[in-house]
Amino acid sequence: MTRDSRLVTRDLVIVGGGPAGMAAAVAAHEAGVNDILLLERDQYLGGILNQCIHPGFGLQRFKANLTGPEYADRFIKKIEEIRDIEVSLRSFVVSLTKDKIITYLKPGKLEEIKAKALIMATGCRERTREMIHTAGTRPAGIYTAGLAQKMINIEGLLPGLEIVVIGSGDIGLIMARRLTLEGAKVKAVIELQKESRGLVRNVVLCLTDFSIPLYLHHRVARIYGRDRVEKVLVENLETHETFELACDTVLVSAGLIPENELLEMAGVSDVSKITSPDIFVCGNSYKIYDLADSVTRDSEKTGQAAAEYLRRS
Amino acid sequence: MKRKLTCIECPIGCQLEIDVEGGHIISLTGNKCEKGPAYARQEIAAPMRVLSSTVLARGLELKMVPVRTSRPIPKAKLLEAMTEIKKIRLDRPVKVGDIIAKAFLGLDADLIASREVSRA
Ligand SMILES: Cc1cc2nc3c(=O)[nH]c(=O)nc-3n(C[C@H](O)[C@H](O)[C@H](O)COP(=O)(O)OP(=O)(O)OC[C@H]3O[C@@H](n4cnc5c(N)ncnc54)[C@H](O)[C@@H]3O)c2cc1C
Ligand code: SF4
């Protein structure tokens, strides 16, 4: 007997329980799939939405201005009602093969299953300081914006008191406001480009409202500090004049990259060119989205496409 | 007096050009929908914002429970509101939308839970 034939096979396996995975699961079920396994490594469904406690979600989808957890809650409630969707939490997928054999770790055990159809919805990761090449020492006090968001909103820890944010992406802007509300002093947001990368509404709501300076077409040329960050050197990219800002913490908000390690293991190098008809990718692991509403909309189509594949096969 | 405002009611973020005289808007352009003028009127009179934050939990499965105001509150009150939020200790399970502080700061808004949380 081959290894394959001994394995339990599930019709549809979805990896990742963020908005993408949840929307795909519900849509596939509505399109007739009645054996769905949703694997999520965290203790809760919701993905990144759980740490996005700010409003701005659901305007398109629900015509309501919801916070991330509220947006997630609507899908979690729906999934709880559907018996054909088995949710397996604390299930960390560690390997994937071409034949859609999925290995995942649950507390205390290693499970292996095979999927007839597979949807990958593993989200994204953040670009780090290493990827943006800033000179200087390697002191403590440098975080990605998303990590700082998790520290404050989930763990209840304040990353620092005097902050400089590198990059004006939405997460950086939102964190500038969040840190200010929590009592930290955000000295500045520094952006390489001549325009903010985040939504204008976030510039207004997060910076203008709190008089936080935004330096466009500037860069952080150097980070100083021995054990902890002490200051940064900011350079005007037009005049090349420089100035220093004292701070104990630097947040890097330099963008997101799709998380596709598992698919790479299975031999997929480009998610936009998947040739297998039974492997699907949606949400931020497919491409980076600005709005959760769009993730939901597109992932529903992915769920339907997987259902269509299963119907034909 | 001519002024520029960014409508923040949706992600489009229309650039509104308004003309204000004696506290009243006499002309407005740049809005893609009817929410724009309403936003501009409010912003000129008294800017209002929804505040979201977290409260510390006790004996619940999460350490921090996300909360928000049920409707926008005056922008000038945001920091005062944060001081109040920091005093709160939540020790009972809540569902999304449950009231944590009614008529928060004596305003016409409640502080509500934005995530469900049960006992530890
Ligand atoms: C920090 C941040 C702030 C944002 N703010 C806004 C906003 O204000 N408004 C808005 O509309 N949109 C916002 N977005 C965008 C939107 O929320 C995201 O695009 C959307 O949540 C992405 O959904 P997803 O399901 O693809 O990814 P995620 O929500 O990241 O979900 C991926 C899930 O997969 C799980 N997973 C990953 N790998 C594995 C594995 N190997 N095994 C098991 N499970 C795994 C993760 O634990 C996670 O739960 C924000 C995004 C980020 C990152
Ligand atoms: S005017 Fe309408 S479309 Fe434009 S930003 Fe405001 S709400 Fe959005």
Side-chain angles (χ1 to χ4, degrees):
Chain A
M1 224 164 57
T2 63
R3 175 183 177 217
D4 262 49
S5 57
R6 268 180 288 123
L7 286 176
V8 173
T9 301
R10 307 290 298 254
D11 284 353
L12 177 60
V13 177
I14 301 175
V15 183
M22 291 195 291
V26 173
H29 178 258
E30 280 169 2
V33 186
N34 51 25
D35 174 30
I36 303 173
L37 175 65
L38 178 56
L39 298 171
E40 168 55 53
R41 68 179 167 200
D42 198 358
Q43 215 174 320
Y44 305 95
L45 288 176
I48 206 83
L49 294 173
N50 288 327
Q51 68 183 64
C52 297
I53 63 157
H54 54 278
F57 297 82
L59 288 159
Q60 289 165 14
R61 176 75 188 190
F62 298 113
K63 303 272 170 280
N65 192 4
L66 306 173
T67 61
E70 289 171 299
Y71 187 85
D73 190 67
R74 299 203 175 190
F75 293 92
I76 295 171
K77 289 279 140 56
K78 216 166 184 173
I79 285 185
E80 281 171 355
E81 282 170 14
I82 304 174
R83 302 182 95 220
D84 294 340
I85 303 177
E86 182 196 336
V87 177
S88 183
L89 299 170
R90 300 189 201 204
S91 301
F92 192 164
V93 178
V94 289
S95 96
L96 175 68
T97 69
K98 274 193 185 61
D99 315 316
K100 292 165 286 136
I101 296 173
I102 299 147
T103 312
Y104 61 99
L105 254 150
K106 279 198 92 152
K109 56 186 168 190
L110 199 63
E111 306 264 4
E112 208 173 45
I113 46 153
K114 192 171 155 59
K116 277 191 202 155
L118 172 70
I119 297 180
M120 298 302 290
T122 48
C124 59
R125 63 199 141 96
E126 295 183 275
R127 261 184 241 280
T128 58
R129 178 193 176 192
E130 279 62 39
M131 300 182 196
I132 59 167
H133 305 294
T134 308
T137 48
R138 293 269 174 282
I142 306 174
Y143 304 93
T144 60
L147 178 61
Q149 187 177 48
K150 186 172 180 191
M151 288 171 75
I152 301 181
N153 295 341
I154 307 280
E155 289 154 18
L157 304 169
L158 195 61
L161 292 174
E162 296 199 304
I163 323 276
V164 169
V165 180
I166 304 183
S168 66
D170 285 314
I171 312 168
L173 299 177
I174 279 160
M175 288 318 293
R177 169 178 63 185
R178 185 77 184 107
L179 283 155
T180 307
L181 288 170
E182 285 294 336
K185 171 87 189 145
V186 179
K187 296 281 187 80
V189 176
I190 315 290
E191 170 59 54
L192 276 178
Q193 309 296 323
K194 292 180 182 167
E195 270 174 38
S196 157
R197 271 191 257 191
L199 296 169
V200 264
R201 73 195 293 246
N202 284 335
V203 175
V204 174
L205 285 168
C206 302
L207 303 186
T208 319
D209 269 8
F210 299 96
S211 311
I212 298 169
L214 170 61
Y215 292 97
L216 296 170
H217 209 207
H218 278 65
R219 71 172 185 129
V220 169
R222 210 171 181 92
I223 299 177
Y224 297 92
R226 283 174 57 116
D227 302 325
R228 177 88 195 185
V229 174
E230 285 162 15
K231 63 184 179 186
V232 296
L233 182 72
V234 182
E235 180 191 355
N236 181 326
L237 290 171
E238 216 146 274
T239 63
H240 299 287
E241 281 170 87
T242 58
F243 60 93
E244 288 179 355
L245 288 173
C247 58
D248 57 27
T249 302
V250 171
L251 294 197
V252 180
S253 171
L256 306 168
I257 3 178
E259 173 62 77
N260 281 311
E261 251 178 38
L262 289 165
L263 281 167
E264 281 160 25
M265 265 184 219
V268 175
S269 55
D270 182 348
V271 289
S272 63
K273 294 190 190 110
I274 294 180
T275 45
S276 335
D278 47 2
I279 298 182
F280 304 83
V281 189
C282 63
N284 273 347
S285 53
Y286 183 71
K287 63 168 196 203
I288 299 302
Y289 286 85
D290 284 339
L291 295 177
D293 297 62
S294 325
V295 170
T296 300
R297 186 198 57 215
D298 289 357
S299 303
E300 283 171 340
K301 290 185 193 139
T302 306
Q304 288 158 0
E308 177 65 22
Y309 165 79
L310 287 168
R311 202 164 33 236
R312 285 158 182 264
S313 65
Chain B
M1 193 186 65
K2 294 216 190 289
R3 260 186 75 177
K4 282 188 185 163
L5 272 185
T6 305
C7 178
I8 54 169
E9 296 292 319
C10 89
I12 297 174
C14 295
Q15 294 297 318
L16 310 178
E17 299 218 4
I18 58 174
D19 201 349
V20 188
E21 242 161 59
H24 293 281
I25 298 176
I26 51 173
S27 80
L28 183 151
T29 54
N31 58 308
K32 289 204 174 68
C33 84
E34 77 295 342
K35 280 192 198 162
Y39 166 76
R41 244 175 280 126
Q42 185 66 58
E43 192 72 6
I44 297 297
M48 304 283 278
R49 303 287 185 259
V50 169
L51 175 65
S52 65
S53 186
T54 50
V55 297
L56 196 58
R58 261 204 200 128
L60 303 180
E61 58 175 337
L62 298 174
K63 182 178 172 201
M64 307 306 294
V65 180
V67 295
R68 70 170 173 97
T69 56
S70 57
R71 28 162 78 223
I73 64 170
K75 186 170 108 178
K77 295 246 179 202
L78 291 179
L79 291 176
E80 185 187 337
M82 282 303 294
T83 310
E84 279 312 301
I85 285 174
K86 286 192 182 194
K87 292 184 196 155
I88 298 174
R89 298 289 175 273
L90 184 72
D91 54 11
R92 63 189 158 91
V94 285
K95 294 212 178 329
V96 170
D98 280 2
I99 294 176
I100 292 191
K102 205 165 170 54
F104 187 52
L105 299 178
L107 297 165
D108 186 17
D110 303 323
L111 192 68
I112 60 172
S114 52
R115 184 170 174 188
E116 182 169 323
V117 49
S118 41
R119 282 199 201 287

